[in-house]
Amino acid sequence: MATFNADKTASTVQARGGIDITSVTGTYTVSANHAANDVIQMVKIPAGATVQELIVSASASVAATSTGEVGDGSDTDRFIASGSIGGGAASLSRINDATGHGYSYTSEDTIDIKFTVQTTPTTGAVLKLTAIYTLQS
């Protein structure tokens, strides 16, 4: 199992804070070397953030067969339970697991996409994940 990083998880990116509601969007371009159970860390979420909405899109087919879940290091399907993410066509997914809506982080974390099944990855397909959250200072 490998872990890959999207642009919004680089060490130079700071999780935003000090405002009431904000969003962050991470973008990741799929490479040919993805396999089942790989994790893509998409965005950083600061301590104290409460997730209100989460949207995942795939610009094109991510792979011939592509099943995944969206969560974090503690619960890999906290926000989106296992389902098609860009499997065979472009797609759009939102929170579908009640445990994720309104979830509050006690420490900084990342929101991740984990592909549980992935056959023949499509190099160049683009994944985007937008997290909308509140943060009380």
PDB file of all heavy atoms in Angstrom, residues 3 5 8-10 13-16 24 39-49 51 71-76 78-79 103-113 129 131 133:
ATOM      1  N   THR A   3       1.065   5.696  -0.188  1.00  0.00           N
ATOM      2  CA  THR A   3       0.346   6.942   0.093  1.00  0.00           C
ATOM      3  C   THR A   3       0.859   8.008  -0.851  1.00  0.00           C
ATOM      4  O   THR A   3       2.066   8.178  -1.001  1.00  0.00           O
ATOM      5  CB  THR A   3       0.562   7.397   1.550  1.00  0.00           C
ATOM      6  OG1 THR A   3       0.051   6.383   2.418  1.00  0.00           O
ATOM      7  CG2 THR A   3      -0.137   8.710   1.836  1.00  0.00           C
ATOM      8  N   ASN A   5       0.278  12.213  -2.316  1.00  0.00           N
ATOM      9  CA  ASN A   5      -0.156  13.510  -1.811  1.00  0.00           C
ATOM     10  C   ASN A   5      -0.646  14.408  -2.932  1.00  0.00           C
ATOM     11  O   ASN A   5       0.018  14.534  -3.961  1.00  0.00           O
ATOM     12  CB  ASN A   5       0.983  14.219  -1.083  1.00  0.00           C
ATOM     13  CG  ASN A   5       1.324  13.540   0.215  1.00  0.00           C
ATOM     14  OD1 ASN A   5       0.478  13.412   1.075  1.00  0.00           O
ATOM     15  ND2 ASN A   5       2.550  13.075   0.341  1.00  0.00           N
ATOM     16  N   LYS A   8      -2.581  20.176  -1.960  1.00  0.00           N
ATOM     17  CA  LYS A   8      -2.910  20.903  -0.730  1.00  0.00           C
ATOM     18  C   LYS A   8      -2.447  20.196   0.544  1.00  0.00           C
ATOM     19  O   LYS A   8      -2.866  20.550   1.643  1.00  0.00           O
ATOM     20  CB  LYS A   8      -4.423  21.167  -0.644  1.00  0.00           C
ATOM     21  CG  LYS A   8      -4.927  22.098  -1.714  1.00  0.00           C
ATOM     22  CD  LYS A   8      -4.338  23.482  -1.593  1.00  0.00           C
ATOM     23  CE  LYS A   8      -4.886  24.381  -2.673  1.00  0.00           C
ATOM     24  NZ  LYS A   8      -4.374  25.723  -2.609  1.00  0.00           N
ATOM     25  N   THR A   9      -1.551  19.195   0.426  1.00  0.00           N
ATOM     26  CA  THR A   9      -1.013  18.544   1.617  1.00  0.00           C
ATOM     27  C   THR A   9       0.500  18.698   1.710  1.00  0.00           C
ATOM     28  O   THR A   9       1.131  18.112   2.581  1.00  0.00           O
ATOM     29  CB  THR A   9      -1.370  17.042   1.663  1.00  0.00           C
ATOM     30  OG1 THR A   9      -0.813  16.395   0.519  1.00  0.00           O
ATOM     31  CG2 THR A   9      -2.873  16.840   1.731  1.00  0.00           C
ATOM     32  N   ALA A  10       1.089  19.514   0.843  1.00  0.00           N
ATOM     33  CA  ALA A  10       2.529  19.744   0.868  1.00  0.00           C
ATOM     34  C   ALA A  10       2.932  20.377   2.198  1.00  0.00           C
ATOM     35  O   ALA A  10       2.130  21.044   2.861  1.00  0.00           O
ATOM     36  CB  ALA A  10       2.928  20.649  -0.292  1.00  0.00           C
ATOM     37  N   VAL A  13       2.025  24.011   2.842  1.00  0.00           N
ATOM     38  CA  VAL A  13       0.625  24.424   2.941  1.00  0.00           C
ATOM     39  C   VAL A  13       0.210  24.417   4.407  1.00  0.00           C
ATOM     40  O   VAL A  13       0.414  23.431   5.110  1.00  0.00           O
ATOM     41  CB  VAL A  13      -0.299  23.483   2.134  1.00  0.00           C
ATOM     42  CG1 VAL A  13      -1.761  23.830   2.356  1.00  0.00           C
ATOM     43  CG2 VAL A  13       0.062  23.542   0.664  1.00  0.00           C
ATOM     44  N   GLN A  14      -0.353  25.510   4.856  1.00  0.00           N
ATOM     45  CA  GLN A  14      -0.858  25.607   6.229  1.00  0.00           C
ATOM     46  C   GLN A  14      -2.373  25.458   6.217  1.00  0.00           C
ATOM     47  O   GLN A  14      -3.046  26.059   5.387  1.00  0.00           O
ATOM     48  CB  GLN A  14      -0.489  26.965   6.838  1.00  0.00           C
ATOM     49  CG  GLN A  14       1.006  27.166   6.982  1.00  0.00           C
ATOM     50  CD  GLN A  14       1.636  26.148   7.918  1.00  0.00           C
ATOM     51  OE1 GLN A  14       1.117  25.878   8.987  1.00  0.00           O
ATOM     52  NE2 GLN A  14       2.738  25.567   7.496  1.00  0.00           N
ATOM     53  N   ALA A  15      -2.896  24.654   7.140  1.00  0.00           N
ATOM     54  CA  ALA A  15      -4.346  24.559   7.286  1.00  0.00           C
ATOM     55  C   ALA A  15      -4.839  25.936   7.731  1.00  0.00           C
ATOM     56  O   ALA A  15      -4.232  26.571   8.587  1.00  0.00           O
ATOM     57  CB  ALA A  15      -4.702  23.491   8.306  1.00  0.00           C
ATOM     58  N   ARG A  16      -5.928  26.409   7.132  1.00  0.00           N
ATOM     59  CA  ARG A  16      -6.434  27.753   7.413  1.00  0.00           C
ATOM     60  C   ARG A  16      -7.235  27.780   8.704  1.00  0.00           C
ATOM     61  O   ARG A  16      -7.941  26.849   9.029  1.00  0.00           O
ATOM     62  CB  ARG A  16      -7.297  28.228   6.247  1.00  0.00           C
ATOM     63  CG  ARG A  16      -6.477  28.375   4.973  1.00  0.00           C
ATOM     64  CD  ARG A  16      -7.308  28.522   3.746  1.00  0.00           C
ATOM     65  NE  ARG A  16      -8.272  29.608   3.835  1.00  0.00           N
ATOM     66  CZ  ARG A  16      -9.142  29.883   2.887  1.00  0.00           C
ATOM     67  NH1 ARG A  16      -9.168  29.168   1.797  1.00  0.00           N
ATOM     68  NH2 ARG A  16      -9.986  30.874   3.019  1.00  0.00           N
ATOM     69  N   VAL A  24     -11.613  24.353   1.315  1.00  0.00           N
ATOM     70  CA  VAL A  24     -10.305  24.075   0.727  1.00  0.00           C
ATOM     71  C   VAL A  24     -10.524  23.013  -0.339  1.00  0.00           C
ATOM     72  O   VAL A  24     -11.318  22.081  -0.156  1.00  0.00           O
ATOM     73  CB  VAL A  24      -9.273  23.624   1.796  1.00  0.00           C
ATOM     74  CG1 VAL A  24      -9.718  22.366   2.503  1.00  0.00           C
ATOM     75  CG2 VAL A  24      -7.888  23.458   1.178  1.00  0.00           C
ATOM     76  N   VAL A  39      -3.766   5.323  -0.874  1.00  0.00           N
ATOM     77  CA  VAL A  39      -4.411   6.467  -0.234  1.00  0.00           C
ATOM     78  C   VAL A  39      -3.863   7.751  -0.838  1.00  0.00           C
ATOM     79  O   VAL A  39      -2.655   7.898  -0.999  1.00  0.00           O
ATOM     80  CB  VAL A  39      -4.142   6.455   1.291  1.00  0.00           C
ATOM     81  CG1 VAL A  39      -4.667   7.724   1.960  1.00  0.00           C
ATOM     82  CG2 VAL A  39      -4.761   5.215   1.924  1.00  0.00           C
ATOM     83  N   ILE A  40      -4.764   8.675  -1.179  1.00  0.00           N
ATOM     84  CA  ILE A  40      -4.364   9.998  -1.666  1.00  0.00           C
ATOM     85  C   ILE A  40      -4.807  11.005  -0.619  1.00  0.00           C
ATOM     86  O   ILE A  40      -5.999  11.165  -0.369  1.00  0.00           O
ATOM     87  CB  ILE A  40      -5.016  10.333  -3.021  1.00  0.00           C
ATOM     88  CG1 ILE A  40      -4.662   9.269  -4.059  1.00  0.00           C
ATOM     89  CG2 ILE A  40      -4.575  11.722  -3.495  1.00  0.00           C
ATOM     90  CD1 ILE A  40      -5.477   9.363  -5.329  1.00  0.00           C
ATOM     91  N   GLN A  41      -3.861  11.650   0.023  1.00  0.00           N
ATOM     92  CA  GLN A  41      -4.176  12.690   0.998  1.00  0.00           C
ATOM     93  C   GLN A  41      -4.511  13.948   0.205  1.00  0.00           C
ATOM     94  O   GLN A  41      -3.651  14.515  -0.464  1.00  0.00           O
ATOM     95  CB  GLN A  41      -3.008  12.921   1.942  1.00  0.00           C
ATOM     96  CG  GLN A  41      -2.731  11.705   2.800  1.00  0.00           C
ATOM     97  CD  GLN A  41      -1.554  11.894   3.731  1.00  0.00           C
ATOM     98  OE1 GLN A  41      -0.605  12.611   3.429  1.00  0.00           O
ATOM     99  NE2 GLN A  41      -1.606  11.237   4.872  1.00  0.00           N
ATOM    100  N   MET A  42      -5.765  14.404   0.292  1.00  0.00           N
ATOM    101  CA  MET A  42      -6.248  15.473  -0.578  1.00  0.00           C
ATOM    102  C   MET A  42      -6.162  16.873   0.035  1.00  0.00           C
ATOM    103  O   MET A  42      -5.767  17.803  -0.647  1.00  0.00           O
ATOM    104  CB  MET A  42      -7.679  15.193  -1.018  1.00  0.00           C
ATOM    105  CG  MET A  42      -7.825  13.983  -1.928  1.00  0.00           C
ATOM    106  SD  MET A  42      -6.988  14.116  -3.520  1.00  0.00           S
ATOM    107  CE  MET A  42      -7.941  15.405  -4.315  1.00  0.00           C
ATOM    108  N   VAL A  43      -6.577  17.055   1.274  1.00  0.00           N
ATOM    109  CA  VAL A  43      -6.558  18.379   1.905  1.00  0.00           C
ATOM    110  C   VAL A  43      -6.250  18.257   3.390  1.00  0.00           C
ATOM    111  O   VAL A  43      -6.575  17.252   4.017  1.00  0.00           O
ATOM    112  CB  VAL A  43      -7.903  19.147   1.734  1.00  0.00           C
ATOM    113  CG1 VAL A  43      -8.202  19.427   0.276  1.00  0.00           C
ATOM    114  CG2 VAL A  43      -9.054  18.400   2.379  1.00  0.00           C
ATOM    115  N   LYS A  44      -5.616  19.304   3.936  1.00  0.00           N
ATOM    116  CA  LYS A  44      -5.402  19.380   5.381  1.00  0.00           C
ATOM    117  C   LYS A  44      -6.609  20.048   6.021  1.00  0.00           C
ATOM    118  O   LYS A  44      -7.175  20.992   5.475  1.00  0.00           O
ATOM    119  CB  LYS A  44      -4.163  20.208   5.704  1.00  0.00           C
ATOM    120  CG  LYS A  44      -2.861  19.522   5.413  1.00  0.00           C
ATOM    121  CD  LYS A  44      -1.699  20.393   5.850  1.00  0.00           C
ATOM    122  CE  LYS A  44      -0.373  19.750   5.501  1.00  0.00           C
ATOM    123  NZ  LYS A  44       0.761  20.619   5.868  1.00  0.00           N
ATOM    124  N   ILE A  45      -6.971  19.545   7.194  1.00  0.00           N
ATOM    125  CA  ILE A  45      -8.073  20.106   7.980  1.00  0.00           C
ATOM    126  C   ILE A  45      -7.516  20.458   9.357  1.00  0.00           C
ATOM    127  O   ILE A  45      -6.889  19.616  10.006  1.00  0.00           O
ATOM    128  CB  ILE A  45      -9.228  19.079   8.118  1.00  0.00           C
ATOM    129  CG1 ILE A  45      -9.829  18.767   6.753  1.00  0.00           C
ATOM    130  CG2 ILE A  45     -10.288  19.579   9.072  1.00  0.00           C
ATOM    131  CD1 ILE A  45     -10.538  19.924   6.089  1.00  0.00           C
ATOM    132  N   PRO A  46      -7.734  21.706   9.825  1.00  0.00           N
ATOM    133  CA  PRO A  46      -7.155  22.112  11.109  1.00  0.00           C
ATOM    134  C   PRO A  46      -7.926  21.568  12.308  1.00  0.00           C
ATOM    135  O   PRO A  46      -9.107  21.229  12.211  1.00  0.00           O
ATOM    136  CB  PRO A  46      -7.251  23.641  11.055  1.00  0.00           C
ATOM    137  CG  PRO A  46      -8.433  23.907  10.186  1.00  0.00           C
ATOM    138  CD  PRO A  46      -8.424  22.809   9.155  1.00  0.00           C
ATOM    139  N   ALA A  47      -7.250  21.520  13.436  1.00  0.00           N
ATOM    140  CA  ALA A  47      -7.912  21.169  14.695  1.00  0.00           C
ATOM    141  C   ALA A  47      -9.031  22.169  14.944  1.00  0.00           C
ATOM    142  O   ALA A  47      -8.880  23.358  14.683  1.00  0.00           O
ATOM    143  CB  ALA A  47      -6.899  21.217  15.832  1.00  0.00           C
ATOM    144  N   GLY A  48     -10.173  21.676  15.413  1.00  0.00           N
ATOM    145  CA  GLY A  48     -11.313  22.533  15.695  1.00  0.00           C
ATOM    146  C   GLY A  48     -12.269  22.694  14.532  1.00  0.00           C
ATOM    147  O   GLY A  48     -13.342  23.273  14.690  1.00  0.00           O
ATOM    148  N   ALA A  49     -11.924  22.175  13.364  1.00  0.00           N
ATOM    149  CA  ALA A  49     -12.797  22.281  12.192  1.00  0.00           C
ATOM    150  C   ALA A  49     -13.962  21.307  12.318  1.00  0.00           C
ATOM    151  O   ALA A  49     -13.799  20.178  12.770  1.00  0.00           O
ATOM    152  CB  ALA A  49     -12.018  21.976  10.919  1.00  0.00           C
ATOM    153  N   VAL A  51     -16.730  19.663   9.808  1.00  0.00           N
ATOM    154  CA  VAL A  51     -17.027  19.477   8.385  1.00  0.00           C
ATOM    155  C   VAL A  51     -18.529  19.606   8.151  1.00  0.00           C
ATOM    156  O   VAL A  51     -19.337  18.932   8.785  1.00  0.00           O
ATOM    157  CB  VAL A  51     -16.506  18.113   7.883  1.00  0.00           C
ATOM    158  CG1 VAL A  51     -16.899  17.888   6.432  1.00  0.00           C
ATOM    159  CG2 VAL A  51     -14.991  18.048   8.046  1.00  0.00           C
ATOM    160  N   GLY A  71     -12.344   9.515   3.671  1.00  0.00           N
ATOM    161  CA  GLY A  71     -12.316   9.648   5.115  1.00  0.00           C
ATOM    162  C   GLY A  71     -11.025  10.289   5.570  1.00  0.00           C
ATOM    163  O   GLY A  71     -10.495  11.186   4.918  1.00  0.00           O
ATOM    164  N   ASP A  72     -10.488   9.765   6.663  1.00  0.00           N
ATOM    165  CA  ASP A  72      -9.245  10.287   7.203  1.00  0.00           C
ATOM    166  C   ASP A  72      -8.447   9.129   7.794  1.00  0.00           C
ATOM    167  O   ASP A  72      -8.812   7.968   7.595  1.00  0.00           O
ATOM    168  CB  ASP A  72      -9.520  11.391   8.235  1.00  0.00           C
ATOM    169  CG  ASP A  72     -10.488  10.962   9.328  1.00  0.00           C
ATOM    170  OD1 ASP A  72     -10.387   9.820   9.810  1.00  0.00           O
ATOM    171  OD2 ASP A  72     -11.353  11.772   9.686  1.00  0.00           O
ATOM    172  N   GLY A  73      -7.389   9.442   8.524  1.00  0.00           N
ATOM    173  CA  GLY A  73      -6.535   8.394   9.072  1.00  0.00           C
ATOM    174  C   GLY A  73      -7.202   7.515  10.107  1.00  0.00           C
ATOM    175  O   GLY A  73      -6.808   6.367  10.310  1.00  0.00           O
ATOM    176  N   SER A  74      -8.253   8.028  10.771  1.00  0.00           N
ATOM    177  CA  SER A  74      -8.945   7.254  11.803  1.00  0.00           C
ATOM    178  C   SER A  74     -10.123   6.448  11.273  1.00  0.00           C
ATOM    179  O   SER A  74     -10.490   5.427  11.851  1.00  0.00           O
ATOM    180  CB  SER A  74      -9.471   8.192  12.898  1.00  0.00           C
ATOM    181  OG  SER A  74      -8.403   8.873  13.494  1.00  0.00           O
ATOM    182  N   ASP A  75     -10.746   6.922  10.188  1.00  0.00           N
ATOM    183  CA  ASP A  75     -11.937   6.273   9.631  1.00  0.00           C
ATOM    184  C   ASP A  75     -11.914   6.506   8.124  1.00  0.00           C
ATOM    185  O   ASP A  75     -12.277   7.589   7.664  1.00  0.00           O
ATOM    186  CB  ASP A  75     -13.199   6.862  10.261  1.00  0.00           C
ATOM    187  CG  ASP A  75     -14.483   6.190   9.799  1.00  0.00           C
ATOM    188  OD1 ASP A  75     -14.443   5.386   8.837  1.00  0.00           O
ATOM    189  OD2 ASP A  75     -15.537   6.487  10.389  1.00  0.00           O
ATOM    190  N   THR A  76     -11.502   5.505   7.371  1.00  0.00           N
ATOM    191  CA  THR A  76     -11.279   5.688   5.930  1.00  0.00           C
ATOM    192  C   THR A  76     -12.541   5.946   5.127  1.00  0.00           C
ATOM    193  O   THR A  76     -12.465   6.387   3.988  1.00  0.00           O
ATOM    194  CB  THR A  76     -10.536   4.478   5.318  1.00  0.00           C
ATOM    195  OG1 THR A  76     -11.312   3.292   5.515  1.00  0.00           O
ATOM    196  CG2 THR A  76      -9.156   4.318   5.935  1.00  0.00           C
ATOM    197  N   ARG A  78     -15.292   7.786   6.598  1.00  0.00           N
ATOM    198  CA  ARG A  78     -16.050   8.698   7.466  1.00  0.00           C
ATOM    199  C   ARG A  78     -17.053   9.544   6.678  1.00  0.00           C
ATOM    200  O   ARG A  78     -18.149   9.832   7.136  1.00  0.00           O
ATOM    201  CB  ARG A  78     -15.097   9.627   8.225  1.00  0.00           C
ATOM    202  CG  ARG A  78     -15.832  10.564   9.180  1.00  0.00           C
ATOM    203  CD  ARG A  78     -14.881  11.519   9.906  1.00  0.00           C
ATOM    204  NE  ARG A  78     -13.738  10.900  10.534  1.00  0.00           N
ATOM    205  CZ  ARG A  78     -13.758  10.225  11.696  1.00  0.00           C
ATOM    206  NH1 ARG A  78     -14.903  10.050  12.343  1.00  0.00           N
ATOM    207  NH2 ARG A  78     -12.640   9.728  12.194  1.00  0.00           N
ATOM    208  N   PHE A  79     -16.690   9.959   5.459  1.00  0.00           N
ATOM    209  CA  PHE A  79     -17.535  10.869   4.686  1.00  0.00           C
ATOM    210  C   PHE A  79     -18.267  10.189   3.528  1.00  0.00           C
ATOM    211  O   PHE A  79     -19.438  10.441   3.308  1.00  0.00           O
ATOM    212  CB  PHE A  79     -16.707  12.042   4.149  1.00  0.00           C
ATOM    213  CG  PHE A  79     -16.036  12.808   5.249  1.00  0.00           C
ATOM    214  CD1 PHE A  79     -14.682  12.680   5.479  1.00  0.00           C
ATOM    215  CD2 PHE A  79     -16.779  13.638   6.078  1.00  0.00           C
ATOM    216  CE1 PHE A  79     -14.071  13.372   6.505  1.00  0.00           C
ATOM    217  CE2 PHE A  79     -16.175  14.328   7.114  1.00  0.00           C
ATOM    218  CZ  PHE A  79     -14.814  14.202   7.330  1.00  0.00           C
ATOM    219  N   TYR A 103     -18.822  16.299  11.626  1.00  0.00           N
ATOM    220  CA  TYR A 103     -17.703  15.734  12.384  1.00  0.00           C
ATOM    221  C   TYR A 103     -16.698  16.835  12.721  1.00  0.00           C
ATOM    222  O   TYR A 103     -16.323  17.628  11.873  1.00  0.00           O
ATOM    223  CB  TYR A 103     -17.004  14.612  11.596  1.00  0.00           C
ATOM    224  CG  TYR A 103     -15.854  14.021  12.362  1.00  0.00           C
ATOM    225  CD1 TYR A 103     -16.090  13.104  13.384  1.00  0.00           C
ATOM    226  CD2 TYR A 103     -14.545  14.405  12.110  1.00  0.00           C
ATOM    227  CE1 TYR A 103     -15.042  12.565  14.117  1.00  0.00           C
ATOM    228  CE2 TYR A 103     -13.491  13.877  12.838  1.00  0.00           C
ATOM    229  CZ  TYR A 103     -13.742  12.963  13.840  1.00  0.00           C
ATOM    230  OH  TYR A 103     -12.705  12.441  14.573  1.00  0.00           O
ATOM    231  N   SER A 104     -16.259  16.885  13.976  1.00  0.00           N
ATOM    232  CA  SER A 104     -15.288  17.885  14.436  1.00  0.00           C
ATOM    233  C   SER A 104     -13.936  17.233  14.699  1.00  0.00           C
ATOM    234  O   SER A 104     -13.855  16.200  15.364  1.00  0.00           O
ATOM    235  CB  SER A 104     -15.781  18.558  15.717  1.00  0.00           C
ATOM    236  OG  SER A 104     -16.947  19.300  15.461  1.00  0.00           O
ATOM    237  N   TYR A 105     -12.898  17.867  14.189  1.00  0.00           N
ATOM    238  CA  TYR A 105     -11.528  17.383  14.379  1.00  0.00           C
ATOM    239  C   TYR A 105     -10.917  17.981  15.630  1.00  0.00           C
ATOM    240  O   TYR A 105     -10.977  19.190  15.846  1.00  0.00           O
ATOM    241  CB  TYR A 105     -10.667  17.710  13.158  1.00  0.00           C
ATOM    242  CG  TYR A 105     -10.943  16.798  11.995  1.00  0.00           C
ATOM    243  CD1 TYR A 105     -11.895  17.124  11.051  1.00  0.00           C
ATOM    244  CD2 TYR A 105     -10.265  15.591  11.869  1.00  0.00           C
ATOM    245  CE1 TYR A 105     -12.168  16.264   9.992  1.00  0.00           C
ATOM    246  CE2 TYR A 105     -10.533  14.727  10.816  1.00  0.00           C
ATOM    247  CZ  TYR A 105     -11.486  15.078   9.879  1.00  0.00           C
ATOM    248  OH  TYR A 105     -11.757  14.220   8.842  1.00  0.00           O
ATOM    249  N   THR A 106     -10.294  17.149  16.455  1.00  0.00           N
ATOM    250  CA  THR A 106      -9.625  17.629  17.663  1.00  0.00           C
ATOM    251  C   THR A 106      -8.153  17.915  17.409  1.00  0.00           C
ATOM    252  O   THR A 106      -7.503  18.586  18.205  1.00  0.00           O
ATOM    253  CB  THR A 106      -9.761  16.609  18.807  1.00  0.00           C
ATOM    254  OG1 THR A 106      -9.239  15.348  18.361  1.00  0.00           O
ATOM    255  CG2 THR A 106     -11.228  16.441  19.206  1.00  0.00           C
ATOM    256  N   SER A 107      -7.620  17.408  16.292  1.00  0.00           N
ATOM    257  CA  SER A 107      -6.246  17.701  15.903  1.00  0.00           C
ATOM    258  C   SER A 107      -6.187  17.787  14.378  1.00  0.00           C
ATOM    259  O   SER A 107      -7.076  17.287  13.686  1.00  0.00           O
ATOM    260  CB  SER A 107      -5.288  16.623  16.414  1.00  0.00           C
ATOM    261  OG  SER A 107      -5.638  15.366  15.870  1.00  0.00           O
ATOM    262  N   GLU A 108      -5.151  18.438  13.868  1.00  0.00           N
ATOM    263  CA  GLU A 108      -5.008  18.569  12.411  1.00  0.00           C
ATOM    264  C   GLU A 108      -4.941  17.185  11.775  1.00  0.00           C
ATOM    265  O   GLU A 108      -4.357  16.262  12.330  1.00  0.00           O
ATOM    266  CB  GLU A 108      -3.742  19.360  12.076  1.00  0.00           C
ATOM    267  CG  GLU A 108      -3.587  19.628  10.592  1.00  0.00           C
ATOM    268  CD  GLU A 108      -2.370  20.475  10.275  1.00  0.00           C
ATOM    269  OE1 GLU A 108      -2.368  21.675  10.607  1.00  0.00           O
ATOM    270  OE2 GLU A 108      -1.421  19.922   9.675  1.00  0.00           O
ATOM    271  N   ASP A 109      -5.555  17.058  10.608  1.00  0.00           N
ATOM    272  CA  ASP A 109      -5.584  15.777   9.906  1.00  0.00           C
ATOM    273  C   ASP A 109      -5.665  16.071   8.409  1.00  0.00           C
ATOM    274  O   ASP A 109      -5.679  17.236   8.007  1.00  0.00           O
ATOM    275  CB  ASP A 109      -6.803  14.962  10.359  1.00  0.00           C
ATOM    276  CG  ASP A 109      -6.632  13.465  10.142  1.00  0.00           C
ATOM    277  OD1 ASP A 109      -5.765  13.053   9.336  1.00  0.00           O
ATOM    278  OD2 ASP A 109      -7.390  12.693  10.767  1.00  0.00           O
ATOM    279  N   THR A 110      -5.718  15.025   7.618  1.00  0.00           N
ATOM    280  CA  THR A 110      -5.976  15.175   6.186  1.00  0.00           C
ATOM    281  C   THR A 110      -7.242  14.406   5.853  1.00  0.00           C
ATOM    282  O   THR A 110      -7.580  13.423   6.517  1.00  0.00           O
ATOM    283  CB  THR A 110      -4.823  14.627   5.314  1.00  0.00           C
ATOM    284  OG1 THR A 110      -4.614  13.248   5.617  1.00  0.00           O
ATOM    285  CG2 THR A 110      -3.539  15.419   5.536  1.00  0.00           C
ATOM    286  N   ILE A 111      -7.954  14.876   4.824  1.00  0.00           N
ATOM    287  CA  ILE A 111      -9.077  14.112   4.287  1.00  0.00           C
ATOM    288  C   ILE A 111      -8.534  13.391   3.066  1.00  0.00           C
ATOM    289  O   ILE A 111      -7.878  14.002   2.208  1.00  0.00           O
ATOM    290  CB  ILE A 111     -10.271  15.015   3.955  1.00  0.00           C
ATOM    291  CG1 ILE A 111     -10.819  15.621   5.259  1.00  0.00           C
ATOM    292  CG2 ILE A 111     -11.364  14.214   3.239  1.00  0.00           C
ATOM    293  CD1 ILE A 111     -12.006  16.532   5.086  1.00  0.00           C
ATOM    294  N   ASP A 112      -8.789  12.103   3.006  1.00  0.00           N
ATOM    295  CA  ASP A 112      -8.138  11.222   2.046  1.00  0.00           C
ATOM    296  C   ASP A 112      -9.135  10.470   1.176  1.00  0.00           C
ATOM    297  O   ASP A 112     -10.254  10.190   1.602  1.00  0.00           O
ATOM    298  CB  ASP A 112      -7.299  10.169   2.794  1.00  0.00           C
ATOM    299  CG  ASP A 112      -6.470  10.744   3.918  1.00  0.00           C
ATOM    300  OD1 ASP A 112      -5.956  11.867   3.769  1.00  0.00           O
ATOM    301  OD2 ASP A 112      -6.341  10.064   4.954  1.00  0.00           O
ATOM    302  N   ILE A 113      -8.681  10.107  -0.006  1.00  0.00           N
ATOM    303  CA  ILE A 113      -9.408   9.167  -0.860  1.00  0.00           C
ATOM    304  C   ILE A 113      -8.625   7.857  -0.827  1.00  0.00           C
ATOM    305  O   ILE A 113      -7.413   7.849  -1.055  1.00  0.00           O
ATOM    306  CB  ILE A 113      -9.518   9.668  -2.317  1.00  0.00           C
ATOM    307  CG1 ILE A 113     -10.327  10.968  -2.381  1.00  0.00           C
ATOM    308  CG2 ILE A 113     -10.155   8.588  -3.206  1.00  0.00           C
ATOM    309  CD1 ILE A 113     -10.349  11.608  -3.765  1.00  0.00           C
ATOM    310  N   LEU A 129     -11.206  17.403  -4.543  1.00  0.00           N
ATOM    311  CA  LEU A 129     -11.964  17.223  -3.319  1.00  0.00           C
ATOM    312  C   LEU A 129     -12.077  18.592  -2.654  1.00  0.00           C
ATOM    313  O   LEU A 129     -11.077  19.270  -2.439  1.00  0.00           O
ATOM    314  CB  LEU A 129     -11.269  16.251  -2.371  1.00  0.00           C
ATOM    315  CG  LEU A 129     -12.002  15.944  -1.065  1.00  0.00           C
ATOM    316  CD1 LEU A 129     -11.747  14.500  -0.642  1.00  0.00           C
ATOM    317  CD2 LEU A 129     -11.630  16.889   0.038  1.00  0.00           C
ATOM    318  N   ALA A 131     -13.589  20.451   0.713  1.00  0.00           N
ATOM    319  CA  ALA A 131     -14.137  20.321   2.061  1.00  0.00           C
ATOM    320  C   ALA A 131     -14.617  21.708   2.496  1.00  0.00           C
ATOM    321  O   ALA A 131     -13.867  22.684   2.403  1.00  0.00           O
ATOM    322  CB  ALA A 131     -13.087  19.797   3.028  1.00  0.00           C
ATOM    323  N   TYR A 133     -15.983  23.674   5.769  1.00  0.00           N
ATOM    324  CA  TYR A 133     -16.023  23.461   7.210  1.00  0.00           C
ATOM    325  C   TYR A 133     -16.105  24.792   7.968  1.00  0.00           C
ATOM    326  O   TYR A 133     -15.760  25.831   7.451  1.00  0.00           O
ATOM    327  CB  TYR A 133     -14.807  22.655   7.687  1.00  0.00           C
ATOM    328  CG  TYR A 133     -13.462  23.270   7.378  1.00  0.00           C
ATOM    329  CD1 TYR A 133     -12.837  24.121   8.293  1.00  0.00           C
ATOM    330  CD2 TYR A 133     -12.804  22.983   6.192  1.00  0.00           C
ATOM    331  CE1 TYR A 133     -11.595  24.663   8.029  1.00  0.00           C
ATOM    332  CE2 TYR A 133     -11.558  23.524   5.920  1.00  0.00           C
ATOM    333  CZ  TYR A 133     -10.957  24.370   6.844  1.00  0.00           C
ATOM    334  OH  TYR A 133      -9.720  24.904   6.579  1.00  0.00           O
TER     335      TYR A 133
END
